[in-house]
Amino acid sequence: MKLITQQHREAEHIKKMRFAISKLLIFGIIYVVSAVFMEGIIILLYSASGYDILHGNLPTGNWVSLVPLYGFFGFGVFTLVYIKLIEKRKLYQIQLVWNKKKLIRFAVNLAKGSILVALMITLFTALRLYEFTGFGSIDPVFLFASFLAYLIQGTAEEIMCRGFLQNTLEERLGLIPAIVISTIAFIAPHILSIVEMDGFLAVTAVINLCLVSCLFSLIMSCEGSVLSACGLHIGWNFMLGVIFGLQVSGGTPGTGLLSFSITGSSALLTGGNYGIEASILLIPLLAAMNMIYIVKIKRKGADYGISKETV
């Protein structure tokens, strides 16, 4: 009897592993197809505007930095098309519901993301790691276009990683494995911007990416809406990249409403060329935020397919 039970458990474990791998592969296929398709669209648009992309004739300026962000629209659309047409799932099954309550939670978490960045920059300035150098000049149209760009980018990433991948996996594997696998998927596209960094700085960046991905996952599970994760994600990126004009995930900093320069000598503290998201000072903040939502999930007493003690 024990042997049969053991064999059953092993078979079930293999099924779960195959299921997880298949969903990761589907995620990867959607990502690659979306990237190729949207890259082709962007190249066609540039070519139609008179630019010779193949010979390095590229447009310049702040507006150009928004183009890749708008390109994430295709990632979100392809994911939703797959969910609706292939898996035949409803949007509420991936916790994507548009109602007053969910939109309020979106707005609250948008504010939380903005406040978190503001607190970090204030801390960095107080510690003389960053120095305020003045006010930038951004016209209202570009400000709105930037917010819309980050809204598209953040929403698309959350629909892919949390809405599709995490929710699908959670049904079969439970919350913790779903968070781990969705975090791996979330980090993967960021690896190219990390591999060329110094060893310790790269490790710090990966730790922070893991923590922020887990935070997005916990917020969605706690509040029952992928829009909550979208809000925090968008608020963080928009505040960091547009209001403060700093690097977002190692990208090139643009012109912000406020201008700062790095004055600290330790890259582990400042985050170096990657930005504050590679700073060791960000780790305790993100860890604390994760613990807050873990406690909230425990208090809710919801059944996630795992015991509360393991959350």
Side-chain angles (χ1 to χ4, degrees):
M1 187 68 179
K2 289 183 179 180
L3 180 60
I4 295 175
T5 303
Q6 181 65 24
Q7 289 175 340
H8 176 74
R9 288 178 179 174
E10 290 178 355
E12 187 63 25
H13 180 68
I14 292 172
K15 285 181 181 179
K16 288 182 178 181
M17 285 186 62
R18 287 176 177 173
F19 178 77
I21 292 171
S22 68
K23 292 303 176 183
L24 263 177
L25 286 174
I26 291 168
F27 176 91
I29 290 170
I30 293 174
Y31 191 94
V32 171
V33 170
S34 301
V36 171
F37 181 82
M38 295 310 300
E39 189 72 23
I41 295 294
I42 292 171
I43 291 173
L44 286 175
L45 290 174
Y46 281 164
S47 298
S49 301
Y51 293 100
D52 188 355
I53 306 298
L54 296 178
H55 292 87
N57 180 20
L58 298 169
T60 58
N62 286 336
W63 285 92
V64 178
S65 65
L66 301 183
V67 174
L69 299 178
Y70 277 101
F72 273 90
F73 179 79
F75 289 73
V77 169
F78 274 102
T79 304
L80 291 176
V81 167
Y82 172 80
I83 291 169
K84 294 286 287 184
L85 299 184
I86 306 300
E87 293 195 346
K88 309 291 186 183
R89 291 158 65 90
K90 304 294 185 182
L91 292 183
Y92 73 84
Q93 292 178 290
I94 64 166
Q95 301 198 47
L96 182 58
V97 179
W98 304 89
N99 58 38
K100 183 178 179 180
K101 182 180 179 181
K102 304 302 184 185
L103 290 174
I104 289 174
R105 296 311 307 168
F106 168 82
V108 168
N109 282 288
L110 184 73
K112 284 182 182 179
S114 302
I115 292 169
L116 284 173
V117 171
L119 288 174
M120 287 302 300
I121 301 303
T122 300
L123 174 63
F124 278 44
T125 304
L127 294 175
R128 298 184 178 180
L129 299 173
Y130 280 19
E131 181 181 9
F132 175 65
T133 57
F135 294 92
S137 57
I138 297 181
D139 65 86
V141 175
F142 181 77
L143 193 65
F144 175 77
S146 298
F147 177 77
L148 184 59
Y150 279 112
L151 185 147
I152 290 171
Q153 177 256 338
T155 301
E157 286 192 354
E158 292 310 310
I159 286 175
M160 292 186 74
C161 294
R162 249 61 62 176
F164 163 62
L165 193 57
Q166 182 181 327
N167 279 310
T168 305
L169 293 172
E170 189 175 337
E171 294 175 359
R172 290 281 298 273
L173 309 181
L175 180 60
I176 290 180
I179 289 178
V180 171
I181 296 171
S182 64
T183 292
I184 292 171
F186 179 78
I187 292 174
H190 297 82
I191 291 299
L192 290 178
S193 61
I194 293 175
V195 290
E196 296 181 357
M197 297 166 57
D198 292 335
F200 287 113
L201 204 60
V203 170
T204 306
V206 170
I207 291 173
N208 283 329
L209 278 170
C210 289
L211 288 172
V212 79
S213 180
C214 289
L215 180 58
F216 294 151
S217 293
L218 290 169
I219 287 174
M220 183 189 71
S221 293
C222 182
E223 301 186 359
S225 173
V226 71
L227 293 181
S228 294
C230 292
L232 190 71
H233 194 158
I234 295 162
W236 177 279
N237 285 354
F238 177 74
M239 196 74 169
L240 192 60
V242 180
I243 303 303
F244 291 106
L246 298 171
Q247 298 96 326
V248 178
S249 299
T252 303
T255 301
L257 286 177
L258 306 174
S259 297
F260 288 83
S261 62
I262 296 177
T263 54
S265 58
S266 172
L268 273 177
L269 294 177
T270 65
N273 293 330
Y274 193 83
I276 70 167
E277 291 168 315
S279 170
I280 198 171
L281 296 177
L282 187 59
I283 293 177
L285 174 65
L286 293 177
M289 290 294 295
N290 274 272
M291 287 304 303
I292 288 172
Y293 280 96
I294 288 173
V295 171
K296 285 185 177 182
I297 289 175
K298 284 185 175 182
R299 286 178 177 173
K300 285 180 68 176
D303 180 13
Y304 292 104
I306 53 176
S307 62
K308 292 182 186 179
E309 288 76 15
T310 62
V311 179

